[in-house]
Amino acid sequence: MAKHRYADALALALGEEMDKDDSVFIIGEEVGQYLGTLQVTKGFLAKYGPNRVVDTPISEVGIIGLGIGSAMAGLRPVCEMMRLDFSLPAYDQIVQHAAKIRYMFGGQFKVPMVIRGPSGVGRQLSAQHSQALEVLFAHIPGLKVVVPATPADAYGLTKAAIRDDNPVVIIEALRMYFEKPEALEAIQPGLSEIPEGDDWIANIGEAKVLREGKDVTLIGYSTMTISCLRAANLLAQEGISAEVIDLRSLLPLDMATPLASIKKTHRAVVVQEQWGMYGIAAEISAQIAERGFYDLDAPVQRVTGAFVPMPYSKALESLAYPHEEDIVVAAKRTLGGK
Amino acid sequence: MARAATAAPPASHATAKNGSGKEADLDIKKLDAKKYLRFYEQMVHIREFEELCDHAFRQGTHGIGGYLHLYSGEEAIAVGIIGAMDVENGDAFIGHYRDHAYALAAGSEPGEVMAEICGKATGCSKGKGGSMHICDAKLGFYGGYGIVGGNVPIALGLAWAIKYRGENRVCACFFGDGSMNQGGFHETLNMAQLYKVPALFVLENNGYAMGTSIERSHANPNLASRVESYAMEYHVINGQNIFEVHEQVAAIVESMRTNPRPVFLEMKTYRYHGHGAADTQVTQSTYRSREEVEDWKTHRDPIRLAEQALMEAEILTEEERERIHTEAVEAAKAALKFSDDSPDPSPDELLTDVYV
Ligand SMILES: Cc1ncc(C[n+]2csc(CCOP(=O)(O)OP(=O)(O)O)c2C)c(N)n1
Ligand SMILES: [Mg+2]
């Protein structure tokens, strides 16, 4: 199995799907001539030409609308948002149109499109460029939302999203993009590996146990999965065995995997980067309460970001989203510690 | 007769019909010498400030993160236009993320602007906004915004408030060529003209939106003419020439006070640095040549053009010129020192200002 960086895994997946299927094309700002804002589509324009690698004006409504219409007409567009925050001008196209068309017309049309782009806290990008907006998509029937944390899933879920016949939003973990394979391997061996051969793709809607443990279940997605693994390493030093579950997909949501884990550990910590109010962690916690209440030995703990727009100053920014130390504290709380 | 050095925009900048039909032909000796000396000085201060920001970003030790979009090359626009406004008495302005110069041109404290860029407690936005989100409420600067086109509809509201209260004020809105491809821009221009609000829409046409040239992103590269469909008055101005910028805009602003209406200005300009700090020499090579940048710096630099004209007109002496440059370097350093000596925001600041 080859080791990859997250961004390279995305590029690999996109390229392979374009090679395999002529109806797949990429459209977005700076994807072609500029070689991609974060170089994910480097070399694509030269290889596939301007009909399949489409540079656009700064017109997100147009990009998504073009995606929807061409998908209805049988193509497989991959719409890149330079940052997922910039999808908001096009939120109407996504929510009112892409997500509704299948149902509203009684199943006559399908919208096999992908909306993808980096998301979450970066390096002091402040309020308008640091959000983790997955809840805005995961709230909408008709959309699928995947949240790859690892290079393997950046690869496997991107390929699965392109082949899916529904509109799929890929929430890419900006802070994982350029993590070196060695750095990932140091957190957990195998973390940078992508399965090879046999046309492997990930299944959308399957969570995964990334690390086995018996005392407490840490549930994360995207960058927070990596923080959970780091927390598990810290907990292990104190003799606490944490199981780490990577959700991988928020819509559809696999609750069977976390519930099975909680049956074993009896404790759960749910982690998300953005503020917790009405968030993803709230949904997971509610489902645990409904379906796993009698397996629990302690209240479910949520670890989430502060309920504030992202501040710029490094000093404040690092207080605004969860770190592994916060997860450790929450895990200990479920174990009766303070 | 001393004349404002004219610098025709190069062919890569599609030319538009000048709505006013007038070609700038200025006798500098007849202009307000003191005012233009001040504008010249302001431009030099802004340039040195921006260049020091760039340096400080690269040093990596002053707290600057994020993207850092610099204004070098475009100074005559902020200085000439904000200089035509009365920001102390209710004129308003709003900008995009390339925003340090708007504040500095209006007279904001450079230390507070620098401290914001460095994320310090003493920054104008308390370190919460950073480089893209400078503001100064007391000078009518309603802020810099990070979403392309996001500030344009807000300008409609600022101008609406002026009209609502029956004041003879104006609101200037600065934005880039990229903004004109956002839907909200077009909704705004239509409404502004419909309601006749006193909004001055200032397009800073620097030829590129990030790595995409005008020709590659606008079906009609004659940008000013795009507002003809809203029946809005427009003017195309050489944004590199402070005399042309200020004389024309000052007249337009005064006429907007007595005859309230929206006006669109296309300012032809150029940015010297990459789009932001992440746009390196390597990424820039995908969309523009070093020769092109050098050509603008050599032939159309707003500071150099002003300097030549002012010296020819014997308004600026060599000694004055040197003094101004030395002071500008010192002022920028002092701003950075103020920032360096300032504390980080205290942890309790995290939760304040979310609500009133
Ligand atoms: C809605 C939206 N899409 C994309 C971006 C990313 N972005 C930031 S600035 C920029 C280029 C804008 O160029 P222009 O409007 O010409 O202003 P300039 O930077 O040249 O001053 C882009 C694509 C954004 N901030 N907002
Ligand atoms: Mg531009």
Side-chain angles (χ1 to χ4, degrees):
Chain A
M1 287 203 272
K3 298 180 177 13
H4 291 274
R5 296 188 310 172
Y6 191 101
D8 304 332
L10 291 170
L12 193 63
L14 292 167
E16 284 182 9
E17 292 307 300
M18 289 184 75
D19 288 339
K20 206 176 300 260
D21 182 351
D22 282 347
S23 64
V24 178
F25 69 99
I26 293 180
I27 183 165
E29 294 153 19
E30 311 292 4
V31 296
Q33 184 179 309
Y34 194 75
L35 308 177
T37 301
L38 296 173
Q39 310 253 301
V40 167
T41 49
K42 188 171 176 173
F44 278 44
L45 177 62
K47 182 164 180 200
Y48 302 105
N51 205 31
R52 298 187 69 195
V53 181
V54 187
D55 277 323
T56 69
I58 309 174
S59 303
E60 285 79 7
V61 181
I63 297 168
I64 301 291
L66 188 154
I68 297 171
S70 65
M72 291 174 78
L75 301 183
R76 291 194 173 268
V78 176
C79 300
E80 174 171 310
M81 298 284 102
M82 192 178 282
R83 272 199 59 92
L84 271 178
D85 303 71
F86 308 151
S87 68
L88 289 178
Y91 195 54
D92 173 80
Q93 283 292 312
I94 299 169
V95 174
Q96 293 281 47
H97 299 87
K100 304 283 194 282
I101 283 168
R102 179 77 181 166
Y103 190 87
M104 191 162 80
F105 295 117
Q108 289 218 30
F109 303 109
K110 57 181 187 178
V111 188
M113 72 186 294
V114 170
I115 299 165
R116 53 159 288 270
S119 168
V121 182
R123 185 167 156 267
Q124 289 178 264
L125 304 181
S126 78
Q128 298 183 312
H129 292 74
S130 301
Q131 298 163 100
L133 296 172
E134 51 272 9
V135 67
L136 299 190
F137 302 113
H139 191 59
I140 306 299
L143 298 180
K144 291 189 178 182
V145 182
V146 298
V147 278
T150 62
D153 279 346
Y155 173 82
L157 286 169
T158 298
K159 292 181 65 124
I162 293 172
R163 293 186 201 181
D164 200 287
D165 276 340
N166 298 285
V168 183
V169 184
I170 309 178
I171 310 285
E172 297 172 1
L174 175 61
R175 273 187 295 152
M176 298 308 299
Y177 257 57
F178 303 112
E179 283 293 311
K180 298 215 167 67
E182 310 86 77
L184 294 176
E185 295 295 320
I187 297 167
Q188 180 156 310
L191 205 54
S192 70
E193 285 174 6
I194 298 181
E196 265 166 51
D198 295 339
D199 194 24
W200 175 80
I201 67 168
N203 288 330
I204 295 179
E206 269 179 18
K208 191 165 166 181
V209 178
L210 270 194
R211 174 185 173 126
E212 293 196 8
K214 56 182 181 29
D215 298 329
V216 56
T217 301
L218 309 179
I219 303 166
Y221 63 91
S222 188
T223 317
M224 290 299 113
T225 295
I226 309 301
S227 298
C228 286
L229 288 172
R230 287 203 170 99
N233 286 339
L234 294 174
L235 288 164
Q237 289 168 15
E238 302 187 44
I240 298 167
S241 159
E243 181 144 303
V244 174
I245 292 182
D246 180 14
L247 289 174
R248 303 169 78 220
S249 164
L250 299 177
L251 203 58
L253 176 65
D254 168 12
M255 280 305 294
T257 303
L259 286 168
S261 173
I262 291 162
K263 236 184 182 59
K264 182 170 74 173
T265 64
H266 310 295
R267 293 169 186 87
V269 176
V270 193
V271 190
Q272 86 180 52
E273 181 179 285
Q274 186 132 301
W275 50 83
M277 199 72 166
Y278 301 110
I280 303 292
E283 176 63 27
I284 310 287
S285 304
Q287 294 209 30
I288 294 171
E290 282 171 353
R291 299 161 65 187
F293 183 78
Y294 296 107
D295 293 325
L296 288 171
D297 280 351
V300 175
Q301 298 294 310
R302 280 185 291 163
V303 179
T304 68
F307 191 53
V308 299
M310 188 57 65
Y312 168 79
S313 170
K314 204 173 182 62
L316 294 181
E317 186 188 55
S318 75
L319 299 174
Y321 65 91
H323 301 273
E324 45 269 34
E325 294 79 10
D326 306 309
I327 302 170
V328 166
V329 170
K332 288 186 182 168
R333 220 181 288 132
T334 67
L335 287 152
K338 179 75 238 302
Chain B
M1 183 175 86
R3 282 194 178 193
T6 41
S12 73
H13 265 37
T15 42
K17 174 177 103 228
N18 187 328
S20 66
K22 275 187 305 219
E23 262 302 302
D25 185 8
L26 301 169
D27 181 353
I28 289 178
K29 286 210 154 142
K30 291 195 186 133
L31 303 181
D32 181 343
K34 253 170 101 184
K35 183 158 80 178
Y36 281 97
L37 267 180
R38 194 179 76 240
F39 288 161
Y40 170 73
E41 190 164 349
Q42 276 188 317
M43 292 198 294
V44 176
H45 277 248
I46 291 168
R47 176 71 57 85
E48 293 302 337
F49 184 96
E50 295 289 70
E51 296 306 311
L52 188 60
C53 283
D54 186 47
H55 181 68
F57 179 88
R58 276 159 225 295
Q59 283 184 315
T61 52
H62 300 273
I64 311 180
Y67 299 123
L68 193 68
H69 310 90
L70 301 172
Y71 202 68
S72 299
E74 310 189 13
E75 294 90 343
I77 299 172
V79 169
I81 294 179
I82 294 169
M85 297 170 63
D86 187 356
V87 295
E88 256 133 35
N89 291 297
D91 281 350
F93 62 107
I94 184 168
H96 57 155
Y97 46 84
R98 199 178 297 288
D99 60 356
H100 313 163
Y102 307 138
L104 296 173
S108 294
E109 202 44 63
E112 289 173 18
V113 178
M114 187 63 89
E116 188 57 40
I117 295 165
C118 298
K120 297 303 180 77
T122 52
C124 51
S125 308
K126 298 188 199 161
K128 292 177 174 178
S131 162
M132 292 191 286
H133 309 304
I134 306 294
C135 74
D136 197 334
K138 69 183 179 307
L139 293 178
F141 180 25
Y142 284 85
Y145 296 80
I147 300 304
V148 170
N151 56 324
V152 180
I154 299 172
L156 174 64
L158 294 171
W160 172 268
I162 292 169
K163 183 186 170 194
Y164 189 87
R165 297 205 189 93
E167 297 162 347
N168 66 343
R169 296 288 153 213
V170 300
C171 168
C173 175
F174 297 88
F175 53 89
D177 39 280
S179 295
M180 287 187 72
N181 290 323
Q182 284 281 319
F185 174 89
H186 296 277
E187 296 187 21
T188 300
L189 261 74
N190 181 50
M191 289 172 77
Q193 182 68 14
L194 192 64
Y195 301 144
K196 299 278 186 301
V197 297
L200 187 64
F201 294 103
V202 183
L203 162 62
E204 295 171 341
N205 180 355
N206 57 14
Y208 300 92
M210 212 169 134
T212 305
S213 67
I214 303 296
E215 291 72 18
R216 293 177 57 235
S217 51
H218 297 258
N220 171 5
N222 184 340
L223 299 191
S225 75
R226 293 181 72 185
V227 312
E228 282 173 4
S229 61
Y230 305 111
M232 191 180 287
E233 174 184 336
Y234 68 91
H235 306 262
V236 181
I237 299 175
N238 174 5
Q240 303 309 87
N241 184 312
I242 185 74
F243 307 99
E244 287 182 39
V245 171
H246 182 73
E247 290 303 312
Q248 293 191 51
V249 175
I252 291 164
V253 165
E254 286 322 305
S255 81
M256 286 170 70
R257 296 194 197 284
T258 46
N259 174 18
R261 65 191 189 283
V263 175
F264 181 94
L265 304 178
E266 177 178 353
M267 315 300 298
K268 304 271 196 187
T269 188
Y270 198 76
R271 71 167 151 72
Y272 292 168
H273 288 275
H275 166 69
D279 187 16
T280 60
Q281 289 296 345
V282 176
T283 53
Q284 284 179 60
S285 71
T286 64
Y287 66 89
R288 65 179 188 181
S289 65
R290 279 176 192 248
E291 293 73 48
E292 181 183 291
V293 181
E294 283 314 310
D295 184 52
W296 277 85
K297 285 186 179 172
T298 324
H299 298 112
R300 295 174 208 89
D301 182 63
I303 293 175
R304 206 181 286 195
L305 293 179
E307 201 165 273
Q308 279 166 4
L310 289 170
M311 287 176 100
E312 263 175 47
E314 292 169 358
I315 294 168
L316 177 69
T317 62
E318 181 55 32
E319 301 81 73
E320 271 289 272
R321 196 196 72 86
E322 269 184 30
R323 178 190 62 79
I324 287 169
H325 279 263
T326 313
E327 281 179 9
V329 171
E330 291 310 315
K333 282 191 193 154
L336 186 59
K337 169 136 180 29
F338 171 81
S339 173
D340 285 345
D341 292 346
S342 296
D344 284 335
S346 90
D348 358 305
E349 279 295 333
L350 179 67
L351 300 176
T352 63
D353 298 321
V354 179
Y355 298 99
V356 176

